Amino acid sequence: MGKLDKLSIFISLVLRHNPAAANISLDKHGWANVDELIAGINRTGRNINMDILEEIVATDKKQRYCFNQDKTQIRANQGHSIAVDVELNQQEPPATLYHGTATRFFDAIKSEGLKPMNRLYVHLSKDMDTALKVGRRHGKPVVLKIDSGSMYQDGHLFYLSENGVWLTKKVEAKYLEKISG
């Protein structure tokens, strides 16, 4: 794992879960002051500057972060375990979405549905390949097909994050179908 990857993981921790790890605070929409973030990260013994931060934001494969227009603030696009309102856009989802997880979680999901666990939302993918990649990060993968069209018709809300991840509060088991794993 390279230096930028390690910094990105730390930034993810700070902006999604624990701003105190860099001795900063987030506003109610999850924004952090860029200068304070850089200074806070450097105080932890890590080395970062604006050029490095811009490179991390631009090259992050999952597009985890975004700047405001003048690059004075930064936030994580989704995945928070702390209560922030990242001003998600409520949208009608595609008829089908997917969720990747590990096979060891399937029995619990089959009976209880998908829950956000330590996050604010359940994360869903628009395609099976992405869901499979997500599932592999957790162990032997299983991909679940979500009847998001029916969920939406039944009154469940969906949001599309800045980086294309679909989010919802929970997915009841009746909307799930195991399609691989």
Side-chain angles (χ1 to χ4, degrees):
M1 182 177 298
K3 177 184 166 189
L4 289 185
D5 293 327
K6 289 179 182 177
L7 276 171
S8 183
I9 289 168
F10 184 70
I11 292 168
S12 178
L13 168 76
V14 171
L15 296 180
R16 294 163 81 183
H17 311 293
N18 186 9
N23 198 27
I24 66 162
S25 59
L26 306 178
D27 73 10
K28 68 181 181 176
H29 298 293
W31 292 105
N33 178 286
V34 167
D35 291 336
E36 291 174 10
L37 177 66
I38 290 170
I41 291 170
N42 284 325
R43 280 193 301 271
T44 69
R46 295 166 176 88
N47 182 27
I48 192 168
N49 58 36
M50 187 61 174
D51 291 337
I52 293 170
L53 184 60
E54 286 179 323
E55 183 177 351
I56 288 169
V57 171
T59 61
D60 185 79
K61 291 176 185 149
K62 297 179 188 174
Q63 298 176 307
R64 287 184 185 100
Y65 322 105
C66 64
F67 288 112
N68 65 348
Q69 284 191 336
D70 64 3
K71 295 188 178 180
T72 58
Q73 295 184 307
I74 186 172
R75 74 176 170 192
N77 288 318
Q78 98 283 321
H80 297 82
S81 62
I82 54 177
V84 295
D85 172 13
V86 292
E87 306 165 292
L88 295 167
N89 295 317
Q90 182 181 323
Q91 292 190 20
E92 182 175 352
T96 301
L97 290 168
Y98 301 90
H99 181 81
T101 189
T103 55
R104 69 182 180 276
F105 301 129
F106 180 70
D107 287 340
I109 291 169
K110 187 170 63 174
S111 65
E112 300 172 28
L114 289 169
K115 300 177 188 178
M117 306 310 282
N118 62 340
R119 293 184 173 179
L120 301 178
Y121 297 95
V122 173
H123 293 205
L124 304 172
S125 304
K126 64 183 177 197
D127 61 81
M128 191 171 151
D129 289 341
T130 302
L132 189 58
K133 288 177 191 170
V134 170
R136 283 187 183 125
R137 282 189 273 150
H138 301 286
K140 184 178 178 200
V142 61
V143 175
L144 305 171
K145 180 175 155 184
I146 314 300
D147 185 357
S148 43
S150 293
M151 282 182 65
Y152 186 75
Q153 288 176 349
D154 291 347
H156 295 269
L157 301 179
F158 287 82
Y159 306 91
L160 184 59
S161 72
E162 290 286 325
N163 60 347
V165 175
W166 283 93
L167 307 168
T168 192
K169 284 292 185 181
K170 72 178 223 172
V171 179
E172 296 170 41
K174 69 181 180 179
Y175 298 110
L176 299 171
E177 177 186 344
K178 181 180 175 183
I179 58 172
S180 80

